[in-house]
Amino acid sequence: NAGVTQTPKFQVLKTGQSMTLQCAQDMNHNSMYWYRQDPGMGLRLIYYSASEGTTDKGEVPNGYNVSRLNKREFSLRLESAAPSQTSVYFCASSEFFRETQYFGPGTRLLVL
Amino acid sequence: AQTVTQSQPEMSVQEAETVTLSCTYDTSESDYYLFWYKQPPSRQMILVIRQEAYKQQNATENRFSVNFQKAAKSFSLKISDSQLGDAAMYFCAYSGGGADGLTFGKGTHLIIQP
């Protein structure tokens, strides 16, 4: 089992460009999450999907959109990247909400 | 909204010694979960230990144990017989009654001195 996978591992964007971060899990988990991690900070929740077919905003959703494509996949889209979105992005999944979350390896994003 | 506070930005301990990392949280809920995650330089987030609030017994996982004080809203992590591989950032996290993910503290950087 690969667990939670994320692509790409690293990306450089120019201000105003768009991109989609991909996340997939093979643990048959119901809930999936996107977090961002900035220097000196813990992880902050961007969006989550408690179950297939539902998505909700987290603490810092501005500038992002998400799609729960199916039970396995949960993507995060930046429509018009800004330097403030330079961060490390983590995807996570759990069997149900409140259960232990398992994290992907992260995507480092640099917006110039 | 829940908050999680880790008051020690950095801790240092000698190899083989014991170290305790502090975490306090604020919540009005009575049923919740608490976690400690480890983040080594590889950046991977690794679960260390988990505690359900309804359980009075403190969780243990090998050299890792917690001191969960529900009334004081305190959740400290004790690492016994510290090893070089324990060097990492440690994050305390809270999961409440809703589906809205984890609330993290800002982390404690643990240094292991050989």
Side-chain angles (χ1 to χ4, degrees):
Chain A
N1 284 354
V4 180
T5 57
Q6 292 182 235
T7 55
K9 286 185 169 51
F10 176 65
Q11 183 73 44
V12 179
L13 290 179
K14 294 181 180 178
T15 297
Q17 287 184 319
S18 62
M19 80 162 294
T20 300
L21 281 66
Q22 305 286 354
C23 173
Q25 51 91 8
D26 63 2
M27 296 176 281
N28 201 35
H29 284 172
N30 291 285
S31 302
M32 298 186 74
Y33 311 83
W34 277 105
Y35 295 88
R36 61 177 286 173
Q37 183 180 28
D38 301 302
M41 304 283 289
L43 280 67
R44 291 183 293 167
L45 185 67
I46 305 171
Y47 270 92
Y48 63 98
S49 172
S51 60
E52 188 179 358
T54 69
T55 60
D56 284 287
K57 296 178 180 179
E59 181 186 353
V60 288
N62 291 346
Y64 305 96
N65 284 300
V66 290
S67 295
R68 183 76 183 264
L69 303 168
N70 48 55
K71 191 171 184 179
R72 290 187 62 247
E73 298 173 287
F74 188 38
S75 63
L76 179 72
R77 182 160 178 84
L78 287 69
E79 290 291 351
S80 179
S84 62
Q85 294 177 304
T86 292
S87 190
V88 179
Y89 292 85
F90 288 94
C91 177
S93 71
S94 61
E95 186 172 6
F96 297 101
F97 67 87
R98 297 183 61 193
E99 293 292 321
T100 299
Q101 292 186 21
Y102 296 91
F103 286 80
T107 293
R108 184 163 162 251
L109 177 65
L110 177 61
V111 183
L112 302 175
Chain B
Q2 292 80 20
T3 58
V4 176
T5 302
Q6 294 180 247
S7 59
Q8 306 151 315
E10 187 172 279
M11 294 280 286
S12 181
V13 65
Q14 291 288 127
E15 195 176 1
E17 297 291 304
T18 294
V19 64
T20 298
L21 308 184
S22 300
C23 173
T24 59
Y25 57 95
D26 186 26
T27 183
S28 58
E29 296 175 313
S30 59
D31 188 18
Y32 50 86
Y33 290 38
L34 294 163
F35 304 85
W36 279 98
Y37 280 89
K38 169 185 177 181
Q39 187 179 43
S42 67
R43 218 169 46 212
Q44 179 71 50
M45 294 290 288
I46 302 165
L47 176 71
V48 175
I49 202 163
R50 158 182 146 158
Q51 175 80 44
E52 292 90 340
Y54 66 86
K55 290 186 178 179
Q56 293 187 340
Q57 187 171 7
N58 289 327
T60 62
E61 286 288 342
N62 301 314
R63 298 183 294 107
F64 299 87
S65 61
V66 298
N67 184 4
F68 173 49
Q69 302 288 329
K70 191 173 184 179
K73 297 179 182 174
S74 171
F75 183 59
S76 60
L77 175 70
K78 186 171 84 170
I79 306 174
S80 304
D81 185 25
S82 297
Q83 300 176 0
L84 294 177
D86 295 334
M89 285 292 291
Y90 285 81
F91 292 96
C92 179
Y94 172 100
S95 177
D100 53 352
L102 295 168
T103 300
F104 283 86
K106 291 186 177 181
T108 296
H109 181 211
L110 179 63
I111 298 167
I112 311 294
Q113 305 279 5

Short mmCIF file of all heavy atoms in Angstrom, two decimals, chain A residues 9 33 35 37 40-45 48 50 57 88 90 97-108, chain B residues 31-33 35 37 39 42-47 50 91 95-107:
data_model
loop_
_atom_site.label_atom_id
_atom_site.label_comp_id
_atom_site.label_asym_id
_atom_site.label_seq_id
_atom_site.Cartn_x
_atom_site.Cartn_y
_atom_site.Cartn_z
N LYS A 9 5.86 16.94 -6.27
CA LYS A 9 6.61 17.12 -5.01
C LYS A 9 7.04 18.57 -4.84
O LYS A 9 7.14 19.07 -3.73
CB LYS A 9 7.84 16.22 -4.99
CG LYS A 9 7.54 14.77 -4.77
CD LYS A 9 8.80 13.95 -4.63
CE LYS A 9 8.53 12.54 -4.15
NZ LYS A 9 7.50 11.84 -4.92
N TYR A 33 -8.41 15.62 3.48
CA TYR A 33 -8.13 16.97 3.94
C TYR A 33 -6.97 17.58 3.17
O TYR A 33 -6.07 16.86 2.73
CB TYR A 33 -7.72 16.93 5.43
CG TYR A 33 -8.64 16.12 6.31
CD1 TYR A 33 -8.50 14.74 6.41
CD2 TYR A 33 -9.65 16.73 7.04
CE1 TYR A 33 -9.33 13.99 7.22
CE2 TYR A 33 -10.49 15.98 7.86
CZ TYR A 33 -10.33 14.61 7.94
OH TYR A 33 -11.17 13.87 8.74
N TYR A 35 -4.12 20.67 3.93
CA TYR A 35 -3.53 21.61 4.87
C TYR A 35 -2.40 22.37 4.18
O TYR A 35 -1.80 21.88 3.24
CB TYR A 35 -2.91 20.87 6.07
CG TYR A 35 -3.88 20.12 6.95
CD1 TYR A 35 -4.24 18.81 6.67
CD2 TYR A 35 -4.41 20.72 8.09
CE1 TYR A 35 -5.10 18.11 7.51
CE2 TYR A 35 -5.27 20.03 8.93
CZ TYR A 35 -5.61 18.73 8.63
OH TYR A 35 -6.47 18.04 9.47
N GLN A 37 1.33 24.44 5.40
CA GLN A 37 2.26 24.64 6.50
C GLN A 37 3.22 25.75 6.12
O GLN A 37 3.95 25.65 5.14
CB GLN A 37 3.04 23.37 6.83
CG GLN A 37 3.97 23.55 8.03
CD GLN A 37 4.74 22.28 8.37
OE1 GLN A 37 5.01 21.44 7.51
NE2 GLN A 37 5.09 22.12 9.63
N GLY A 40 7.35 28.27 10.93
CA GLY A 40 7.01 28.65 12.29
C GLY A 40 5.56 28.38 12.67
O GLY A 40 5.13 28.79 13.74
N MET A 41 4.84 27.72 11.79
CA MET A 41 3.42 27.47 12.06
C MET A 41 3.16 25.97 12.02
O MET A 41 3.86 25.21 11.36
CB MET A 41 2.56 28.13 10.98
CG MET A 41 2.78 29.61 10.82
SD MET A 41 1.99 30.55 12.11
CE MET A 41 0.28 30.33 11.66
N GLY A 42 2.10 25.60 12.70
CA GLY A 42 1.59 24.25 12.51
C GLY A 42 0.81 24.22 11.21
O GLY A 42 0.76 25.19 10.47
N LEU A 43 0.21 23.08 10.94
CA LEU A 43 -0.58 22.95 9.73
C LEU A 43 -1.94 23.63 9.93
O LEU A 43 -2.52 23.56 11.02
CB LEU A 43 -0.80 21.47 9.40
CG LEU A 43 0.36 20.75 8.71
CD1 LEU A 43 1.57 20.61 9.61
CD2 LEU A 43 -0.10 19.40 8.21
N ARG A 44 -2.42 24.26 8.86
CA ARG A 44 -3.74 24.89 8.91
C ARG A 44 -4.62 24.30 7.82
O ARG A 44 -4.18 24.12 6.69
CB ARG A 44 -3.61 26.41 8.73
CG ARG A 44 -2.93 27.11 9.91
CD ARG A 44 -2.90 28.61 9.70
NE ARG A 44 -2.03 28.98 8.59
CZ ARG A 44 -2.00 30.18 8.03
NH1 ARG A 44 -2.80 31.14 8.47
NH2 ARG A 44 -1.16 30.44 7.05
N LEU A 45 -5.86 24.03 8.17
CA LEU A 45 -6.78 23.35 7.27
C LEU A 45 -7.31 24.30 6.20
O LEU A 45 -7.82 25.38 6.51
CB LEU A 45 -7.94 22.78 8.09
CG LEU A 45 -8.96 21.93 7.33
CD1 LEU A 45 -8.32 20.63 6.84
CD2 LEU A 45 -10.16 21.62 8.22
N TYR A 48 -11.77 20.41 3.45
CA TYR A 48 -11.89 19.01 3.79
C TYR A 48 -13.10 18.39 3.11
O TYR A 48 -14.00 19.11 2.65
CB TYR A 48 -11.96 18.80 5.31
CG TYR A 48 -13.16 19.41 5.98
CD1 TYR A 48 -14.28 18.63 6.29
CD2 TYR A 48 -13.17 20.75 6.36
CE1 TYR A 48 -15.38 19.19 6.92
CE2 TYR A 48 -14.26 21.31 6.99
CZ TYR A 48 -15.35 20.53 7.28
OH TYR A 48 -16.45 21.08 7.92
N ALA A 50 -15.57 15.34 4.20
CA ALA A 50 -15.91 14.36 5.23
C ALA A 50 -16.26 13.01 4.61
O ALA A 50 -16.02 11.96 5.21
CB ALA A 50 -17.05 14.86 6.09
N LYS A 57 -15.24 24.24 3.61
CA LYS A 57 -14.12 25.13 3.86
C LYS A 57 -13.55 24.89 5.24
O LYS A 57 -14.27 24.60 6.19
CB LYS A 57 -14.57 26.58 3.75
CG LYS A 57 -15.04 26.99 2.37
CD LYS A 57 -15.52 28.43 2.35
CE LYS A 57 -15.99 28.82 0.96
NZ LYS A 57 -16.48 30.23 0.92
N VAL A 88 4.09 24.81 2.01
CA VAL A 88 4.11 23.36 1.81
C VAL A 88 2.69 22.86 2.03
O VAL A 88 2.06 23.19 3.05
CB VAL A 88 5.08 22.67 2.78
CG1 VAL A 88 5.05 21.16 2.56
CG2 VAL A 88 6.50 23.20 2.59
N PHE A 90 -0.03 19.76 2.40
CA PHE A 90 -0.18 18.37 2.78
C PHE A 90 -1.61 17.92 2.56
O PHE A 90 -2.56 18.62 2.91
CB PHE A 90 0.16 18.17 4.27
CG PHE A 90 1.61 18.28 4.59
CD1 PHE A 90 2.17 19.47 5.00
CD2 PHE A 90 2.42 17.16 4.47
CE1 PHE A 90 3.51 19.56 5.30
CE2 PHE A 90 3.78 17.23 4.78
CZ PHE A 90 4.33 18.44 5.18
N PHE A 97 -14.19 10.99 9.91
CA PHE A 97 -13.70 12.22 10.53
C PHE A 97 -13.48 11.96 12.02
O PHE A 97 -14.12 11.11 12.60
CB PHE A 97 -14.67 13.38 10.28
CG PHE A 97 -16.00 13.26 10.95
CD1 PHE A 97 -16.20 13.71 12.23
CD2 PHE A 97 -17.08 12.72 10.26
CE1 PHE A 97 -17.43 13.62 12.83
CE2 PHE A 97 -18.32 12.63 10.86
CZ PHE A 97 -18.50 13.08 12.16
N ARG A 98 -12.54 12.64 12.60
CA ARG A 98 -12.09 12.53 13.98
C ARG A 98 -11.12 11.38 14.20
O ARG A 98 -10.47 11.32 15.21
CB ARG A 98 -13.24 12.38 14.98
CG ARG A 98 -14.18 13.55 15.02
CD ARG A 98 -15.22 13.32 16.06
NE ARG A 98 -14.61 13.18 17.38
CZ ARG A 98 -15.26 12.72 18.45
NH1 ARG A 98 -16.51 12.36 18.35
NH2 ARG A 98 -14.66 12.63 19.61
N GLU A 99 -11.04 10.47 13.25
CA GLU A 99 -10.10 9.37 13.39
C GLU A 99 -8.68 9.84 13.04
O GLU A 99 -8.50 10.95 12.53
CB GLU A 99 -10.50 8.21 12.49
CG GLU A 99 -11.81 7.54 12.89
CD GLU A 99 -11.68 6.80 14.21
OE1 GLU A 99 -10.62 6.18 14.44
OE2 GLU A 99 -12.65 6.84 15.00
N THR A 100 -7.73 8.99 13.28
CA THR A 100 -6.33 9.31 12.98
C THR A 100 -6.17 9.66 11.51
O THR A 100 -6.66 8.94 10.64
CB THR A 100 -5.43 8.12 13.34
OG1 THR A 100 -5.56 7.85 14.73
CG2 THR A 100 -3.98 8.42 13.00
N GLN A 101 -5.49 10.76 11.25
CA GLN A 101 -5.23 11.18 9.88
C GLN A 101 -3.83 10.72 9.46
O GLN A 101 -2.88 10.84 10.22
CB GLN A 101 -5.35 12.69 9.75
CG GLN A 101 -6.78 13.17 9.95
CD GLN A 101 -6.95 14.65 9.70
OE1 GLN A 101 -6.13 15.28 9.02
NE2 GLN A 101 -8.01 15.22 10.23
N TYR A 102 -3.75 10.25 8.23
CA TYR A 102 -2.49 9.81 7.64
C TYR A 102 -2.14 10.79 6.52
O TYR A 102 -2.99 11.11 5.69
CB TYR A 102 -2.62 8.37 7.12
CG TYR A 102 -2.89 7.41 8.24
CD1 TYR A 102 -4.19 7.10 8.61
CD2 TYR A 102 -1.84 6.84 8.96
CE1 TYR A 102 -4.45 6.24 9.68
CE2 TYR A 102 -2.08 5.98 10.01
CZ TYR A 102 -3.39 5.70 10.37
OH TYR A 102 -3.63 4.86 11.43
N PHE A 103 -0.89 11.22 6.53
CA PHE A 103 -0.48 12.32 5.67
C PHE A 103 0.34 11.85 4.48
O PHE A 103 1.09 10.87 4.56
CB PHE A 103 0.35 13.33 6.48
CG PHE A 103 -0.47 14.16 7.41
CD1 PHE A 103 -0.88 13.66 8.64
CD2 PHE A 103 -0.87 15.44 7.05
CE1 PHE A 103 -1.67 14.42 9.50
CE2 PHE A 103 -1.64 16.21 7.90
CZ PHE A 103 -2.04 15.70 9.12
N GLY A 104 0.20 12.60 3.38
CA GLY A 104 1.08 12.43 2.24
C GLY A 104 2.41 13.12 2.50
O GLY A 104 2.60 13.77 3.54
N PRO A 105 3.35 13.01 1.56
CA PRO A 105 4.70 13.55 1.76
C PRO A 105 4.81 15.05 1.59
O PRO A 105 5.84 15.63 1.90
CB PRO A 105 5.52 12.83 0.68
CG PRO A 105 4.53 12.52 -0.38
CD PRO A 105 3.23 12.25 0.31
N GLY A 106 3.76 15.69 1.10
CA GLY A 106 3.77 17.14 0.95
C GLY A 106 4.20 17.59 -0.44
O GLY A 106 4.92 16.89 -1.16
N THR A 107 3.70 18.78 -0.82
CA THR A 107 4.10 19.46 -2.06
C THR A 107 4.62 20.82 -1.67
O THR A 107 3.93 21.60 -1.01
CB THR A 107 2.91 19.63 -3.01
OG1 THR A 107 2.47 18.35 -3.47
CG2 THR A 107 3.29 20.50 -4.21
N ARG A 108 5.85 21.10 -2.09
CA ARG A 108 6.42 22.42 -1.81
C ARG A 108 6.12 23.31 -3.01
O ARG A 108 6.50 23.00 -4.14
CB ARG A 108 7.92 22.32 -1.57
CG ARG A 108 8.56 23.63 -1.18
CD ARG A 108 9.94 23.44 -0.57
NE ARG A 108 10.67 24.70 -0.61
CZ ARG A 108 11.70 24.95 -1.41
NH1 ARG A 108 12.15 24.01 -2.21
NH2 ARG A 108 12.29 26.12 -1.39
N ASP B 31 -16.05 15.61 24.26
CA ASP B 31 -15.62 14.41 23.56
C ASP B 31 -14.72 14.82 22.41
O ASP B 31 -15.17 15.50 21.49
CB ASP B 31 -16.83 13.63 23.05
CG ASP B 31 -16.43 12.28 22.49
OD1 ASP B 31 -15.32 11.81 22.79
OD2 ASP B 31 -17.24 11.71 21.74
N TYR B 32 -13.48 14.41 22.45
CA TYR B 32 -12.52 14.82 21.43
C TYR B 32 -11.33 13.87 21.45
O TYR B 32 -11.22 12.99 22.30
CB TYR B 32 -12.07 16.27 21.65
CG TYR B 32 -11.62 16.58 23.06
CD1 TYR B 32 -10.31 16.36 23.46
CD2 TYR B 32 -12.52 17.09 23.99
CE1 TYR B 32 -9.91 16.63 24.76
CE2 TYR B 32 -12.12 17.38 25.29
CZ TYR B 32 -10.83 17.15 25.68
OH TYR B 32 -10.42 17.42 26.96
N TYR B 33 -10.47 14.04 20.45
CA TYR B 33 -9.25 13.24 20.36
C TYR B 33 -8.06 14.20 20.37
O TYR B 33 -8.14 15.32 19.86
CB TYR B 33 -9.21 12.46 19.04
CG TYR B 33 -10.19 11.33 18.91
CD1 TYR B 33 -11.48 11.39 19.41
CD2 TYR B 33 -9.83 10.16 18.23
CE1 TYR B 33 -12.37 10.36 19.25
CE2 TYR B 33 -10.72 9.10 18.08
CZ TYR B 33 -11.98 9.21 18.58
OH TYR B 33 -12.87 8.18 18.42
N PHE B 35 -3.69 14.27 19.59
CA PHE B 35 -2.64 13.55 18.89
C PHE B 35 -1.30 14.27 19.08
O PHE B 35 -1.24 15.49 19.25
CB PHE B 35 -2.92 13.52 17.38
CG PHE B 35 -4.23 12.93 16.99
CD1 PHE B 35 -5.37 13.72 16.98
CD2 PHE B 35 -4.33 11.60 16.62
CE1 PHE B 35 -6.61 13.18 16.61
CE2 PHE B 35 -5.56 11.05 16.25
CZ PHE B 35 -6.69 11.84 16.24
N TYR B 37 2.08 14.39 16.61
CA TYR B 37 2.69 14.02 15.34
C TYR B 37 4.15 14.47 15.38
O TYR B 37 4.50 15.50 15.93
CB TYR B 37 2.00 14.70 14.15
CG TYR B 37 0.72 14.05 13.71
CD1 TYR B 37 -0.50 14.42 14.28
CD2 TYR B 37 0.72 13.07 12.73
CE1 TYR B 37 -1.68 13.83 13.86
CE2 TYR B 37 -0.46 12.47 12.30
CZ TYR B 37 -1.66 12.86 12.88
OH TYR B 37 -2.83 12.27 12.46
N GLN B 39 7.48 15.41 12.90
CA GLN B 39 7.86 15.79 11.55
C GLN B 39 9.38 15.88 11.48
O GLN B 39 9.97 16.89 11.85
CB GLN B 39 7.22 17.13 11.14
CG GLN B 39 7.47 17.47 9.67
CD GLN B 39 6.80 18.77 9.26
OE1 GLN B 39 6.82 19.77 9.97
NE2 GLN B 39 6.20 18.77 8.08
N SER B 42 12.65 15.16 6.78
CA SER B 42 12.04 14.70 5.53
C SER B 42 10.69 15.34 5.27
O SER B 42 10.15 15.27 4.16
CB SER B 42 11.85 13.18 5.57
OG SER B 42 10.88 12.83 6.55
N ARG B 43 10.13 15.98 6.28
CA ARG B 43 8.85 16.70 6.21
C ARG B 43 7.64 15.79 6.36
O ARG B 43 6.52 16.28 6.47
CB ARG B 43 8.76 17.47 4.89
CG ARG B 43 8.12 18.83 5.02
CD ARG B 43 8.31 19.66 3.77
NE ARG B 43 8.04 18.93 2.55
CZ ARG B 43 8.69 19.19 1.41
NH1 ARG B 43 9.64 20.07 1.36
NH2 ARG B 43 8.41 18.49 0.32
N GLN B 44 7.83 14.49 6.35
CA GLN B 44 6.70 13.57 6.49
C GLN B 44 6.08 13.71 7.88
O GLN B 44 6.78 13.75 8.88
CB GLN B 44 7.18 12.13 6.28
CG GLN B 44 6.10 11.09 6.44
CD GLN B 44 5.09 11.10 5.31
OE1 GLN B 44 5.46 11.09 4.14
NE2 GLN B 44 3.81 11.14 5.64
N MET B 45 4.76 13.78 7.95
CA MET B 45 4.05 13.85 9.23
C MET B 45 3.76 12.42 9.69
O MET B 45 3.09 11.66 9.00
CB MET B 45 2.73 14.61 9.07
CG MET B 45 2.91 16.08 8.75
SD MET B 45 3.55 17.03 10.11
CE MET B 45 2.13 17.07 11.20
N ILE B 46 4.26 12.08 10.87
CA ILE B 46 4.16 10.71 11.38
C ILE B 46 3.43 10.72 12.71
O ILE B 46 3.79 11.46 13.63
CB ILE B 46 5.58 10.13 11.59
CG1 ILE B 46 6.36 10.15 10.27
CG2 ILE B 46 5.50 8.71 12.15
CD1 ILE B 46 7.85 9.93 10.45
N LEU B 47 2.39 9.90 12.82
CA LEU B 47 1.66 9.80 14.09
C LEU B 47 2.54 9.17 15.15
O LEU B 47 3.14 8.12 14.93
CB LEU B 47 0.41 8.97 13.90
CG LEU B 47 -0.40 8.72 15.19
CD1 LEU B 47 -1.06 10.01 15.63
CD2 LEU B 47 -1.41 7.61 14.98
N ARG B 50 -1.92 8.75 20.18
CA ARG B 50 -3.28 9.29 20.14
C ARG B 50 -3.96 9.02 21.48
O ARG B 50 -3.75 7.97 22.09
CB ARG B 50 -4.03 8.62 18.99
CG ARG B 50 -5.52 8.63 19.07
CD ARG B 50 -6.10 7.88 17.91
NE ARG B 50 -7.32 7.20 18.28
CZ ARG B 50 -8.24 6.82 17.40
NH1 ARG B 50 -8.06 7.06 16.13
NH2 ARG B 50 -9.31 6.20 17.80
N PHE B 91 4.35 18.10 16.84
CA PHE B 91 3.12 18.89 16.82
C PHE B 91 2.04 18.20 17.64
O PHE B 91 1.78 17.01 17.48
CB PHE B 91 2.61 19.08 15.40
CG PHE B 91 3.50 19.94 14.54
CD1 PHE B 91 4.44 19.38 13.70
CD2 PHE B 91 3.38 21.32 14.58
CE1 PHE B 91 5.25 20.17 12.91
CE2 PHE B 91 4.19 22.12 13.79
CZ PHE B 91 5.12 21.55 12.95
N SER B 95 -8.72 17.10 17.68
CA SER B 95 -9.82 16.79 16.77
C SER B 95 -11.10 16.74 17.58
O SER B 95 -11.23 15.92 18.50
CB SER B 95 -9.58 15.44 16.08
OG SER B 95 -10.67 15.11 15.25
N GLY B 96 -12.05 17.61 17.23
CA GLY B 96 -13.27 17.71 18.02
C GLY B 96 -14.44 16.97 17.42
O GLY B 96 -14.29 16.04 16.64
N GLY B 97 -15.64 17.41 17.76
CA GLY B 97 -16.84 16.70 17.36
C GLY B 97 -17.23 16.85 15.92
O GLY B 97 -18.03 16.07 15.40
N GLY B 98 -16.72 17.87 15.24
CA GLY B 98 -17.09 18.07 13.86
C GLY B 98 -16.17 17.36 12.89
O GLY B 98 -15.22 16.70 13.30
N ALA B 99 -16.47 17.53 11.61
CA ALA B 99 -15.68 16.85 10.58
C ALA B 99 -14.54 17.70 10.09
O ALA B 99 -13.91 17.38 9.10
CB ALA B 99 -16.59 16.49 9.40
N ASP B 100 -14.28 18.80 10.79
CA ASP B 100 -13.40 19.83 10.24
C ASP B 100 -11.93 19.68 10.59
O ASP B 100 -11.26 20.63 10.94
CB ASP B 100 -13.90 21.22 10.64
CG ASP B 100 -14.11 21.34 12.14
OD1 ASP B 100 -14.02 20.32 12.84
OD2 ASP B 100 -14.35 22.47 12.60
N GLY B 101 -11.42 18.50 10.52
CA GLY B 101 -9.98 18.30 10.54
C GLY B 101 -9.32 18.54 11.89
O GLY B 101 -9.98 18.61 12.93
N LEU B 102 -8.01 18.64 11.86
CA LEU B 102 -7.20 18.81 13.05
C LEU B 102 -6.83 20.27 13.25
O LEU B 102 -6.58 21.00 12.29
CB LEU B 102 -5.91 18.00 12.93
CG LEU B 102 -6.06 16.48 12.87
CD1 LEU B 102 -4.74 15.83 12.46
CD2 LEU B 102 -6.51 15.94 14.20
N THR B 103 -6.76 20.68 14.52
CA THR B 103 -6.19 21.97 14.89
C THR B 103 -4.83 21.71 15.50
O THR B 103 -4.72 20.95 16.47
CB THR B 103 -7.09 22.70 15.91
OG1 THR B 103 -8.38 22.91 15.33
CG2 THR B 103 -6.49 24.04 16.28
N PHE B 104 -3.80 22.32 14.92
CA PHE B 104 -2.42 22.06 15.33
C PHE B 104 -1.86 23.18 16.19
O PHE B 104 -2.22 24.36 16.01
CB PHE B 104 -1.52 21.92 14.10
CG PHE B 104 -1.64 20.61 13.38
CD1 PHE B 104 -2.61 20.44 12.41
CD2 PHE B 104 -0.78 19.57 13.66
CE1 PHE B 104 -2.73 19.24 11.74
CE2 PHE B 104 -0.88 18.36 12.99
CZ PHE B 104 -1.87 18.20 12.02
N GLY B 105 -0.94 22.83 17.09
CA GLY B 105 -0.09 23.81 17.72
C GLY B 105 1.03 24.20 16.77
O GLY B 105 1.14 23.65 15.67
N LYS B 106 1.87 25.15 17.20
CA LYS B 106 2.92 25.65 16.32
C LYS B 106 4.17 24.76 16.33
O LYS B 106 5.08 24.97 15.55
CB LYS B 106 3.30 27.08 16.70
CG LYS B 106 2.19 28.07 16.40
CD LYS B 106 2.64 29.51 16.64
CE LYS B 106 1.52 30.47 16.25
NZ LYS B 106 1.93 31.89 16.44
N GLY B 107 4.20 23.80 17.22
CA GLY B 107 5.28 22.83 17.19
C GLY B 107 6.40 23.12 18.17
O GLY B 107 6.62 24.26 18.59
#
